[in-house]
Each structure stands twice: as C-alpha cells, then as structure tokens.
Amino acid sequence: MSILVGYAPVLPEILLAVGAMALLMLGAFGPDNEKSGEQITWLALLLIVAAAALIVLQPPKTEQLFEGAFVVDRFSRFIKLLVLLGSAGALLLSVDYLKKKRLMKFEYAVLVLLSTVGMMMMVSANDLIALYLGLELQSMALYVLASMQRENLRSSEAGLKYFVLGALASGMLLYGASLIYGFTGSTSFPVIAGVAQAHDAAQNVGLIVGLVFLLVGLAFKVSAVPFHMWTPDVYEGAPTPVTAFFASAPKIAAMALLMRSLGVAFPGLEPQWLQIIWFVAIASMLLGSFAAIGQTNIKRLMAYSSIGHVGFALVGLAAGTHEGAQAVLIYLVIYIVMTLGTFACILSMRRGDEMIEEIDQLSGLAQTNLPMAFTLGMLMFSLAGIPPLAGFFAKLYVFSAAVQAGLFPLAVIGVLASVVGAYYYIRIVLIMFVKDPEEKFAPVSGKLGFVMAASLVFIFVFATPFVGGLIVDAAGAAAKSLRF
Amino acid sequence: MTLIAFFFYVFAVLCIASAAMVIIARNPVHAVLFLILAFFNAAGLFVLLGAEFLAMLLVIVYVGAVAVLFLFVVMMLDVDFAELKAGFIKNAPVGAVVGGIVLVELALLFIVHGFDLGTAGKLQAATPPIESGIANTEALGRLIYTKYVYFFQASGLILLVAMIGAIVLTLRHKEGVKRQSIAAQVARNPATAVEVVKVPSGSAIVPSSQGQNS
C-alpha cells in the first residue's frame, strides 16, 4: 500500500492513460456507430476534468519520482492545468464538426487523451529520455489526428508532412541528446547542470553543440522560425478541430519543456542559449507578422499568428529572469484562451454542411450575426494586443520583463512586430463590420457558443485585479520552482 | 588478443563494405540483402564488445523483423527507383550545401579545440559500475523493470498509439462483404442446419429461410 501512495504524484497521468485504454476497449468492443463515438468523447472530457481535479488537489510541494526522471512541482501543475484546458477545449470544439463530416470515431478522443498524457509527461520531464518519450508520445498521436480525414487529400498531406518533418526534428533532438549524454555522462537534468557549471564554456564546446541540436528539435515543436515551415500547411490541411488542438495544448507543453530543459539543465550555459532564444524570438515575431499579411485562408492566418505569438512568448524566456519566466506563463494562459475562442468562431463559419475558411467570406458578418462578429472582433483585438483586453497584458508583461533585463532592441522589435500584426487582425474586424454582407452562416451551436462566450468573458475580466492578480501570482509561484 | 583483433577487422571491413553496397547496388532486393549482412556483422562487433544482448536484439529485431519487412515492401510495392533517384539528384546540391556547412562548422570546432571538446572521459564515475558475475541480459532486465520502469511503460504507450494510428488510418469496413462468424458456425446443429423440404414433382426447390448457411 505504501508503494501505491508513493505513486500519488503521477496519479493524473495514470488516470488518463488507463482511462484512454478503457475507452479504447469500450469503443472496440461496444457498438460501432456515431453515437458511441460521441459518448466516448464526452467520457474523455470527463476524464480530463477528473485529472485536472486531481492536479488541483495535489499538495503544493516538489516531488520527484522514478529516480528523478519525473518531477511534480508548481510549474508542472500550472502547465498541466493549461494543457488539460487546451485538450478539453479542443474536444468540446470537435464534437459537432466530427458529426457533420462523418468522422465521429471513438479513436479520436482516445488519441487526444493519449497525446495529452504525452504532453503531461513532457511537462514533468526531468531527464533526457523522459523528455524524448513524452515528446514522441505526444507527436505520434498528433500525426494520426492530422491525417484522420483520410479521404481528404489535404488532410493526408498534412499528416504525412508533419510526420516526416517531425521525424527529422526528433532525429536532431536525439543527436543533441546523445552529445549531451556523451559529454556529461548522465541524462538527468540536475546532473547535466552540475557538469555544465563545473567547467567554463570553453571547456564545454561539445556540450554546446549538443544543446544547439536539442534546441533545434524543441524549436520545431513550438514552430519557431526558422523551423516553422510545416506549420501553415499542417494547420490548413488538418481538420479544423485538430488544428485548434495543435495550436493550443502541444504548443504550451513544448514551451514548458523548453523552459524546464534550459532553466534546469543548462543554467550554466545561459549566455550561450540566450543568444539562440533571442534570434529565434526576433525571427518568429517578424515572420509571424509579415507573412500573415497576404493570407486569405483563416487557418493559414492563424498558423502565422501562432508563429508570431511563440516569438512574443520567447521574448520573456530571452530575458532569462524570474519576471521573464513569469511573463511567459502569463502569455501562455492568455494565448490558449484566445486561440480556443478564435477557433470556436472559425468552426462556426459554416453554411449547411460546408465549412468556410476564406477570410473574405466573413464580409458583413456584423449584419447577419452580430454576437459572433463581436466575439471574433474582440478576440482579434486581443490577439493584436489592444488595451484593455487580455492580449495587451500578455505582451505588456513580456516586454516589461525584456526591458527590465536591459533588452531594449528585443522589446522595440517586438512592439514594431505587434504593430504590423495589428494590421491583419484589424483588417478582419473591418471586413466583418464595414463591408457588405455575404450569405448567412448556419446558426452557432451551443458548444461552440459556450467556448466563444467563455473566452470573451476571460479576455475582458483579465484586466480586473482579482482574475488577473490570481493568474499573475500563480504564474509567479510556478516560475519560482524553475530556478528562474 | 590477436584473434579478437582479427575478428574485429573482419567484421568491421565486411560491415562497411556491405553498407556501401546497400547504397551502390542497383537491384533494391540486393540492397536489402546487403543490409542484412551489415546487421549480422554489426552484431558480431557487439559480441566482441561483450554486449551479447545487443547482438541478439540486432539479429532478432533488425534482421528478423525490420529487414524482412523491407524485403517484403521492396518486392511487393512497385516503387520507381529511377524516379526517386532523379528527385534525389535534383535536391542533392541543396542538401550538400547544408550538410557541408554543418561539416565545416564541426571541423572548425575540432581544429580549434582538438579532442578536448569538453568533459568527456572525465566522467567515467557517472556511469554505474557493472556488477560482476551477471550477464548483461540479466543486468539490463534488472534495470528496465526497476530504475527505468517509467521509460518502459512510456515506450509501451507510444507503441499503443502507433498501433491505434495504423488501424485508424488503414482499416476500412467494407459493406456487403461476407465474413466468417465462427460462433454462428459452432452454434449450428442438425435441427437448424438441415431442412427437409417436400418437393412436389416437376417444380423447383424454394428455400424457406435465408442466412442459415452464412
């Protein structure tokens, strides 16, 4: 019995993994129809809520399991709750779409659950092998989800492209991990940190080469420039609810992995990795802003938007301070809520059974469906970072952390990039409110309306001291457990 | 000692030569066969190093499963290798430039720092000592179910996802296909399987019930 109590910190992961397998059996041996697929999706949602409850109920202390490979601390709990929020939101968004497109299969929910387990393992990874296994579990499920719509050529292409490039990134990451292991003699983050700190940079050249390759692999997973090429194609080709999932939970988990591996394993090489993060942050912000201008497909636009947002979040990491790490966490909270809300709007762009993805078709939405136009408009303003919406505070915290760390060029470039970004976000608002109306969209379903309303409320109430303060404090406490 | 050195060179030379032949061979089936030869020689090198478990794995997993699968794929699928090669040659310069840059960078590091690239070699103590009197198969077995049980289970989950993925992406439920139902076959008895029909002379037999013989 005492052995079981020792495993209490991994209980949320065990619950999700065992639950996913139970649902798999239920789906495989139960009746094979759409209704059972939908029921299993709801059960999966219930499992996610239960896992989140278990995480909230965990005692607030740092615990290590499996010889230090798995660590549960404030940081991991904070990010895991965000990841679960993203997964639950993506599942909620997918029910109607999957029914319409006749894709309602029980495997969908099972794969989302297993991918979520992978993300939670990434967040808690304190060892190179744990890092890789979590990443691979997460990615493997995502490859399948991207090509779920197998009759659709674009969906299959998206899955294949993601798979091939993901395998390349995994190869880079493993090469880096093997170099790091070779030069330190351990895969455990704290041991690597000890070795890296015991010698100065000139003696650690091999380790730095390994670190660079590791960063390449992780940058691919957060889709930061110059490893972003897969993002627009995959986002456009994958079924829309899957795109919503891609843009939310996996990004959060990969950012968390980046923060923990750099903060815990490589504090001794900080000057080296800071340069890389600076470059990646600047390039992502600029490319995300400029490349999005010419887009006509809203899913592609969201892909470039997510690249830009990753750049902004990385500015906080580039500061390399406690405030910076806290700002990244705040940014991730706001980003995930805005993303889920925006995708709820995109999924509501439907006429009959046909999904609309062209931005021009939003024309005059304010006259045909004012609540939806208002929600999407506010989300766009928030993504652009206009006060007093939540997106403004996200950028404010990140840039003020950068300024406090003395990174004025980075902050200036960030502000300029967000001005350029504001152009294409506000263009959508103009199209909706000024232009002549197009044909009406189908009525918004209850589930999508719920997600939209929730995210709309969130971006408004974040400015209030209570909600904002709560999140800022939680993010600060979480960042502290990362040695930042 | 010289015997070991002799076998090392035999295995190493054969391994490199057959690896080169994998790329050079025109016939893809020959390429796969050379790949199998390369695996066997690498297994031999592992045995020389005292890692008999890895040698076993290499023969069982790579030769027994992976290479045979390759062989099946090469023989079953009609892959146009000439076309693949044309695509390869078209993109080769780009790849060569990128690869060349990385190679030059790594070479520069080596020129500047020589073999002293960091802490390698100073950390022998970091690897746990191998208990004497235990074969490495047993040592690995002890580790994998104790220290590395988390990694072991996580790998299991990854394989499960791969399996689900293969089924989701390829399984098609065709309508109107007659499948064997063993339960129905076993449940048959003479009373349900045989039907005695009175046939009036001069008319055809019309079965009264369908689906009995499914």
Side-chain angles (χ1 to χ4, degrees):
Chain A
M1 200 60 210
S2 60
I3 296 173
L4 287 180
V5 172
Y7 286 120
V10 256
L11 205 56
E13 284 82 358
I14 293 176
L15 175 76
L16 278 188
V18 173
M21 287 182 235
L23 290 186
L24 186 68
M25 291 300 112
L26 203 64
F29 293 109
D32 182 22
N33 55 29
E34 283 205 343
K35 196 145 185 288
S36 74
E38 191 180 342
Q39 282 164 352
I40 284 172
T41 308
W42 288 113
L43 285 176
L45 214 52
L46 197 70
L47 273 177
I48 291 179
V49 173
L54 281 178
I55 292 173
V56 172
L57 292 175
Q58 278 175 352
K61 57 180 180 188
T62 302
E63 283 179 279
Q64 293 199 348
L65 274 101
F66 306 115
E67 314 243 338
F70 187 95
V71 62
V72 179
D73 52 14
R74 278 174 185 278
F75 175 78
S76 77
R77 272 188 282 270
F78 184 88
I79 296 282
K80 277 180 195 173
L81 285 177
L82 274 188
V83 165
L84 289 173
L85 175 73
S87 304
L91 271 183
L92 199 61
L93 291 180
S94 59
V95 175
D96 289 332
Y97 179 92
L98 295 180
K99 270 201 286 191
K100 279 263 155 18
K101 293 267 171 185
R102 308 214 157 277
L103 278 175
M104 194 42 130
K105 292 185 195 158
F106 67 90
E107 288 98 338
Y108 180 86
V110 172
L111 285 172
V112 170
L113 279 183
L114 286 173
S115 169
T116 310
V117 176
M119 289 174 220
M120 289 164 79
M121 284 164 52
M122 282 159 72
V123 173
S124 277
N126 201 27
D127 185 289
L128 288 174
I129 302 176
L131 174 156
Y132 177 68
L133 288 176
L135 199 71
E136 209 56 13
L137 178 57
Q138 180 249 170
S139 316
M140 199 68 100
L142 292 186
Y143 302 146
V144 181
L145 285 173
S147 42
M148 197 89 176
Q149 203 172 356
R150 60 187 186 192
E151 283 83 21
N152 184 332
L153 197 63
R154 294 247 298 279
S155 171
S156 312
E157 186 199 327
L160 196 62
K161 206 172 247 180
Y162 193 26
F163 175 67
V164 172
L165 290 174
L168 182 72
S170 288
M172 297 271 199
L173 191 134
L174 281 178
Y175 181 48
S178 69
L179 282 176
I180 294 169
Y181 174 67
F183 284 103
T184 56
S186 174
T187 55
S188 166
F189 285 176
V191 178
I192 294 171
V195 173
Q197 265 162 338
H199 308 272
D200 58 10
Q203 284 176 296
N204 276 331
V205 181
L207 194 56
I208 293 169
V209 176
L211 171 66
V212 171
F213 277 102
L214 189 76
L215 277 176
V216 168
L218 292 179
F220 177 88
K221 296 291 172 191
V222 295
S223 71
V225 179
F227 308 102
H228 64 282
M229 285 81 83
W230 57 279
T231 320
D233 293 338
V234 172
Y235 275 36
E236 190 187 354
T240 315
V242 177
T243 311
F245 187 47
F246 278 0
S248 53
K251 284 239 160 129
I252 309 286
M255 275 301 276
L257 190 58
L258 196 60
M259 287 171 76
R260 190 191 290 281
S261 52
L262 291 180
V264 177
F266 296 102
L269 295 177
E270 198 173 272
Q272 279 75 31
W273 60 255
L274 276 184
Q275 293 174 9
I276 300 172
I277 298 291
W278 287 354
F279 170 75
V280 170
I282 291 176
S284 303
M285 286 189 296
L286 291 179
L287 187 119
S289 304
F290 283 100
I293 291 174
Q295 301 304 325
T296 55
N297 181 302
I298 193 148
K299 278 159 84 181
R300 272 189 103 80
L301 181 95
M302 285 307 289
Y304 283 108
S305 158
S306 84
I307 293 171
H309 282 290
V310 164
F312 290 121
L314 285 175
V315 171
L317 189 56
T321 56
H322 168 72
E323 284 76 22
Q326 183 187 11
V328 176
L329 294 179
I330 298 168
Y331 203 102
L332 293 180
V333 175
I334 296 171
Y335 168 76
I336 196 169
V337 175
M338 292 190 301
T339 304
L340 288 175
T342 312
F343 272 98
C345 293
I346 294 174
L347 280 163
S348 302
M349 292 165 62
R350 183 167 64 78
R351 293 200 186 103
D353 275 350
E354 194 198 355
M355 298 298 299
I356 312 288
E357 292 175 4
E358 297 302 307
I359 293 171
D360 292 339
Q361 298 291 319
L362 281 168
S363 171
L365 186 65
Q367 291 172 47
T368 55
N369 188 346
L370 185 62
M372 184 179 153
F374 177 73
T375 310
L376 187 54
M378 285 302 132
L379 284 167
M380 288 296 138
F381 277 133
S382 180
L383 282 169
I386 292 182
L389 300 171
F392 165 73
F393 291 100
K395 288 198 171 109
L396 180 71
Y397 281 110
V398 167
F399 292 144
S400 69
V403 170
Q404 276 173 27
L407 300 175
F408 295 103
L410 204 56
V412 170
I413 293 174
V415 170
L416 287 178
S418 58
V419 170
V420 175
Y423 163 74
Y424 62 81
Y425 291 124
I426 291 173
R427 189 170 68 103
I428 294 179
V429 179
L430 278 181
I431 288 174
M432 287 193 298
F433 280 85
V434 177
K435 286 206 176 166
D436 293 331
E438 287 275 342
E439 199 186 330
K440 254 179 119 155
F441 288 137
V444 177
S445 79
K447 300 171 197 84
L448 299 182
F450 171 74
V451 177
M452 278 187 218
S455 64
L456 186 66
V457 168
F458 177 82
I459 59 172
F460 274 105
V461 300
F462 187 82
T464 61
F466 175 67
V467 178
L470 201 71
I471 291 170
V472 171
D473 289 346
K480 220 170 240 138
S481 64
L482 263 195
R483 296 192 204 173
F484 273 115
Chain B
M1 197 62 216
T2 46
L3 197 63
I4 287 179
F6 171 72
F7 275 108
F8 170 78
Y9 284 112
V10 170
F11 285 135
V13 168
L14 274 176
C15 189
I16 293 172
S18 47
M21 284 306 289
V22 173
I23 306 169
I24 298 168
R26 284 197 161 274
N27 187 332
V29 176
H30 292 172
V32 176
L33 291 175
F34 275 116
L35 187 68
I36 294 176
L37 186 60
F39 283 149
F40 268 116
N41 284 299
L45 288 175
F46 274 129
V47 172
L48 288 183
L49 283 172
E52 73 272 3
F53 183 70
L54 282 180
M56 251 156 37
L57 270 192
L58 203 64
V59 172
I60 295 171
V61 178
Y62 282 87
V63 178
V66 177
V68 171
L69 193 74
F70 277 178
L71 208 55
F72 268 109
V73 170
V74 166
M75 293 200 292
M76 297 282 193
L77 296 185
D78 185 21
V79 182
D80 190 349
F81 284 93
E83 197 182 327
L84 274 181
K85 260 189 189 146
F88 175 75
I89 288 166
K90 198 180 77 184
N91 292 320
V94 183
V97 168
V98 175
I101 291 172
V102 175
L103 185 68
V104 168
E105 282 174 347
L106 291 179
L108 277 178
L109 276 182
F110 183 74
I111 290 165
V112 175
H113 293 276
F115 278 106
D116 186 22
L117 279 179
T119 37
K122 298 169 195 163
L123 278 157
Q124 295 300 323
T127 49
I130 297 162
E131 290 171 64
S132 59
I134 291 182
N136 60 44
T137 310
E138 195 183 343
L140 278 171
R142 283 185 186 183
L143 276 180
I144 211 164
Y145 298 111
T146 54
K147 191 177 174 191
Y148 296 127
V149 65
Y150 171 53
F151 303 146
F152 184 67
Q153 295 293 335
S155 320
L157 273 183
I158 294 176
L159 292 179
L160 177 69
V161 169
M163 230 157 74
I164 298 173
I167 293 171
V168 170
L169 295 180
T170 53
L171 183 67
R172 278 163 217 276
H173 291 289
K174 271 191 196 148
E175 300 293 325
V177 176
K178 285 192 174 160
R179 287 180 200 282
Q180 184 179 22
S181 167
I182 292 169
Q185 286 177 336
V186 172
R188 272 163 70 118
N189 59 34
T192 58
V194 183
E195 195 179 349
V196 182
V197 185
K198 263 223 178 326
V199 189
S201 56
S203 70
I205 301 171
V206 183
S208 61
S209 59
Q210 292 282 334
Q212 289 266 342
N213 49 353
S214 64

